[in-house]
């Protein structure tokens, strides 16, 4: 029998009512045998995710303060879910052990991981599924790099005689036995790994929106759902801030050709978004652009020097400086006598002065400045390369909205156009491009 892996995000498991919806979804399809839960998320907009509560327990403990009050709130969240579901389950033993380890400063990742761990135990109990701790099967090497082959083998071995399984998302274990998490939103990655390991026919990723939308619904009202998107496009969009799916959730399923289906726990009848391989995506391509996403928090180092173009080794010198300062860049758009390095402001923090003086010394530019508060915006679409005038339309939309463009970059695949704009123009820019392409097409 073919199987499906279903991952439920934090908002899908925020309280007992959401747990019931999740159980209904799982029980509605006997192929939904492998379940990957997140930690309880927000129940209302200014609620706090359990993961964030656990991070603050860690911070408190690290700074020698009491965690009792904060930990009590975490216990209340779980005990509330258990009692509202009416199940026979006590997590007291787990709570005691976790509290002990938090006080003993067991590490930031350990603290965060307990959100998924406890939620997994509750969900497995409620569904009557087997609980498999991610620390038994998801491995990282001692440098913290995820070990795909070892993990796949371990999952296969561990679940081979099991009918229905819950494996908590977000964390695993290093070879030396320390709990380690993926980056935030990482339960999506766990789901993808499990899907690959059990050779799932589909990886369903259940969240609180009816699919991947053309633009962030917090910026564009009633943004349209993208019916089909390719892995590549999705990676571009999620890297650029469309947080619906973790950008690294693509790799494990991609090579195995397992499609991902983004679904809405609060509207299970909606078909959601199918994420497929490039070949499949090609046939069903209709619109010029697939999606728009973006992020704030970038800066640009603008360098100007006459005849820069003819100076052999010029770029190498600059890249060497970035390398020495352990900086990675996002884009390097350049002209004949100018070059810009766009990088995240956070990464440059504390290093700006040193980097600037090194560039000054090394290449003696005619002009050098750092511009802050830049947002990057990506217009992504596999239909772009065969449609003439896409870039012109993007720029027309921005110019019409009187938005000043600071930088333009187009990848060689012609899958995206990246523009740099001021942070204060960010939301307007997304809305005007959305209107230009989606409302108009
Ligand atoms: P989960 O807790 O289920 O993992 P996330 O909060 O990680 O869910 O992701 C879903 C959220 O992503 C949505 O509620 C929405 O606010 C946000 N989001 C940002 N960009 C997009 C987009 N392009 N399409 C859909 N949702 C988006
Ligand atoms: N609970 C973790 C987070 O909040 C992981 C996840 O939700 O995927 O980042
Ligand atoms: Mg998420």
């Amino acid at each position: 029998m073919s199987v499906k892996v279903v991952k439920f995000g934090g908002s899908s498991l925020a309280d007992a009512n959401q747990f019931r919806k999740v159980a209904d979804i799982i029980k509605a399809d006997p192929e939904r045998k492998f379940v990957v839960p997140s930690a309880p998320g927000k129940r209302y907009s200014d609620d706090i995710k359990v993961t964030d509560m656990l991070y603050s327990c860690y911070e408190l403990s690290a700074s020698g303060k009491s965690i009792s009050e904060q930990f009590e709130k975490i216990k209340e969240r779980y005990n509330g879910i258990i009692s509202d579901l009416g199940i026979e389950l006590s997590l007291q033993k787990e709570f005691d052990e976790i509290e002990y380890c938090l006080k003993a400063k067991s590490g930031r990742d350990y603290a965060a991981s307990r959100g998924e761990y406890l939620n997994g135990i509750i969900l497995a109990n409620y569904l009557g599924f087997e609980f498999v701790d991610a620390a038994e099967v998801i491995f990282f090497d001692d440098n913290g790099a995820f070990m795909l082959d070892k993990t796949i083998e371990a999952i296969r071995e561990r679940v081979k005689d099991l009918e229905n399984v819950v494996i908590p998302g977000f964390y695993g274990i290093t070879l030396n036995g320390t709990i380690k998490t993926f980056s935030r939103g990482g339960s999506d990655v766990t789901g993808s790994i499990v899907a690959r390991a059990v050779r799932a026919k589909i990886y369903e990723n259940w969240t609180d929106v009816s699919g991947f939308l053309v633009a962030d619904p917090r910026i564009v009202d009633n943004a349209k759902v993208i019916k089909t998107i390719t892995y590549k496009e999705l990676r571009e969009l999620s890297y650029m801030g469309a947080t619906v799916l973790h950008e690294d959730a693509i790799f494990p399923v991609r090579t195995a050709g397992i499609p991902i289906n983004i679904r809405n726990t609060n509207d299970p009848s909606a078909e959601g978004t199918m994420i497929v391989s490039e070949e499949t995506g090609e046939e069903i391509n209709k619109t010029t652009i697939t999606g728009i996403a973006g992020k704030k928090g970038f800066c640009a180092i603008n360098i100007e020097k006459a005849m820069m173009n003819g100076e052999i080794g010029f770029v190498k010198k600059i890249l060497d400086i970035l390398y020495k300062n352990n900086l990675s860049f996002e884009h390097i758009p350049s002209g004949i006598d100018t070059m810009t390095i766009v990088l995240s402001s956070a990464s440059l923090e504390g290093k700006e002065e040193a980097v600037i003086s090194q560039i000054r010394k090394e290449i003696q530019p005619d002009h050098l400045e750092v511009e802050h508060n830049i947002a990057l915006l990506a217009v992504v679409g596999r239909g772009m390369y065969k449609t003439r005038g896409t870039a012109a339309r993007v720029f027309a939309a921005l110019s019409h909205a009187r938005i000043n463009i600071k930088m333009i970059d187009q990848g060689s695949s012609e899958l995206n156009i990246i523009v740099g704009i001021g942070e204060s123009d960010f939301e307007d820019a997304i809305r005007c491009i959305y209107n230009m392409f989606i409302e108009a097409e």
Side-chain angles (χ1 to χ4, degrees):
M1 183 185 190
S2 52
V3 297
K4 296 178 178 170
V5 170
V6 285
K7 177 262 171 179
F8 291 89
S11 51
S12 303
L13 291 164
D15 60 22
N17 200 25
Q18 293 297 93
F19 266 72
R20 286 192 198 98
K21 292 184 195 169
V22 164
D24 286 346
I25 290 166
I26 295 168
K27 298 281 154 94
D29 183 347
E31 290 184 346
R32 294 184 176 132
K33 288 179 178 303
F34 294 91
V35 182
V36 175
S38 286
K42 295 184 179 191
R43 294 160 291 184
Y44 38 87
S45 67
D46 50 2
D47 197 11
I48 303 174
K49 288 181 171 191
V50 166
T51 309
D52 290 310
M53 295 162 90
L54 286 159
Y55 278 126
S56 56
C57 275
Y58 168 78
E59 308 292 346
L60 287 168
S61 171
S63 55
K65 299 195 181 108
S66 163
I67 63 164
S68 304
E69 198 182 320
Q70 183 70 302
F71 196 65
E72 205 47 47
K73 287 190 193 146
I74 295 171
K75 289 201 306 200
E76 271 167 28
R77 290 273 321 246
Y78 288 108
N79 284 336
I81 294 172
I82 293 172
S83 67
D84 289 350
L85 288 175
I87 48 177
E88 276 303 309
L89 175 70
S90 165
L91 291 177
Q92 199 50 49
K93 196 166 76 42
E94 284 79 9
F95 289 150
D96 289 343
E97 186 187 329
I98 295 168
E99 190 168 11
Y100 174 84
C101 292
L102 290 174
K103 284 181 180 159
K105 304 186 172 50
S106 281
R108 192 167 185 271
D109 283 11
Y110 167 81
S113 74
R114 298 303 88 185
E116 279 49 27
Y117 172 74
L118 293 168
N119 227 23
I121 296 177
I122 300 179
L123 186 61
N125 180 291
Y126 185 52
L127 294 169
F129 284 18
E130 187 91 20
F131 174 77
V132 171
D133 188 352
E136 291 177 52
V137 288
I138 307 268
F139 293 101
F140 297 90
D141 70 17
D142 289 336
N143 297 319
F146 171 63
M147 300 173 78
L148 182 66
D149 293 341
K150 184 174 169 63
T151 296
I152 299 281
E153 208 178 298
I155 296 175
R156 285 187 183 152
E157 180 57 28
R158 181 67 179 82
V159 306
K160 69 175 192 294
D161 300 320
L162 303 177
E163 189 58 22
N164 298 96
V165 180
V166 172
I167 304 181
F170 193 36
Y171 69 94
I173 196 159
T174 63
L175 294 178
N176 67 27
T178 314
I179 295 287
K180 178 170 167 51
T181 66
F182 294 106
S183 57
R184 292 301 302 263
S187 298
D188 291 334
V189 185
T190 310
S192 180
I193 294 163
V194 175
R196 165 82 173 269
V198 303
R199 302 182 177 89
K201 77 170 186 197
I202 193 162
Y203 167 27
E204 293 178 348
N205 187 292
W206 292 81
T207 180
D208 62 351
V209 274
S210 291
F212 211 103
L213 307 176
V214 174
D216 189 330
R218 292 162 297 186
I219 299 174
V220 174
D221 290 336
N222 302 317
K224 289 197 176 140
V225 175
I226 303 171
K227 280 201 154 49
T228 315
I229 185 170
T230 62
Y231 296 126
K232 268 193 196 156
E233 290 170 310
L234 183 111
R235 185 162 152 73
E236 297 279 351
L237 288 170
S238 49
Y239 180 74
M240 283 302 289
T243 53
V244 128
L245 190 77
H246 193 293
E247 77 223 38
D248 293 340
I250 307 295
F251 296 115
V253 287
R254 184 180 182 163
T255 41
I258 301 167
I260 308 174
N261 186 197
I262 309 278
R263 300 286 292 268
N264 189 351
T265 301
N266 304 318
D267 184 9
S269 63
E271 285 172 8
T273 300
M274 285 300 277
I275 304 160
V276 299
S277 68
E278 278 62 48
E279 301 77 51
T280 330
E282 192 59 42
E283 295 162 23
I284 28 171
N285 173 30
K286 288 205 184 67
T287 50
T288 312
I289 71 159
T290 305
I292 313 155
K295 279 201 277 202
K296 294 182 181 176
F298 293 95
C299 60
I301 306 178
N302 296 321
I303 306 167
E304 209 177 307
K305 188 176 184 191
M307 312 295 282
M308 159 194 298
N309 219 15
E311 208 176 301
I312 307 283
F314 187 89
V315 178
K316 179 178 180 302
K317 284 184 196 158
I318 293 188
L319 293 184
D320 278 345
I321 295 172
L322 296 182
Y323 176 75
K324 274 193 225 126
N325 286 280
N326 199 20
L327 288 170
S328 68
F329 63 87
E330 294 291 321
H331 300 277
I332 305 197
S334 58
I336 315 174
D337 296 329
T338 62
M339 175 174 170
T340 298
I341 305 157
V342 180
L343 66 178
S344 94
S345 301
S347 70
L348 195 62
E349 220 175 279
K351 299 177 182 172
E352 187 172 325
E353 239 172 81
V355 170
I356 293 305
S357 74
Q358 285 162 33
I359 296 178
R360 260 207 186 102
K361 183 162 164 254
E362 218 29 73
I363 62 166
Q364 284 143 14
D366 301 333
H367 181 74
L368 178 66
E369 57 157 24
V370 183
E371 198 178 344
H372 286 281
N373 303 324
I374 290 180
L376 290 181
L377 202 151
V379 183
V380 176
R382 62 192 182 275
M384 273 173 10
Y385 78 99
K386 44 182 188 194
T387 318
R388 265 192 285 162
T390 311
R393 286 172 73 194
V394 171
F395 305 139
L398 292 172
S399 122
H400 190 71
R402 298 186 178 282
I403 292 170
N404 181 27
I405 301 172
K406 295 178 187 294
M407 181 214 91
I408 300 164
D409 203 348
Q410 179 166 31
S412 57
S413 63
E414 285 195 45
L415 191 67
N416 61 12
I417 296 170
I418 312 261
V419 261
I421 51 175
E423 282 183 348
S424 54
D425 288 328
F426 181 66
E427 285 81 8
D428 281 345
I430 294 205
R431 283 187 209 109
C432 74
I433 296 174
Y434 181 90
N435 290 338
M436 171 68 101
F437 285 92
I438 307 301
E439 295 296 341
E441 271 181 17

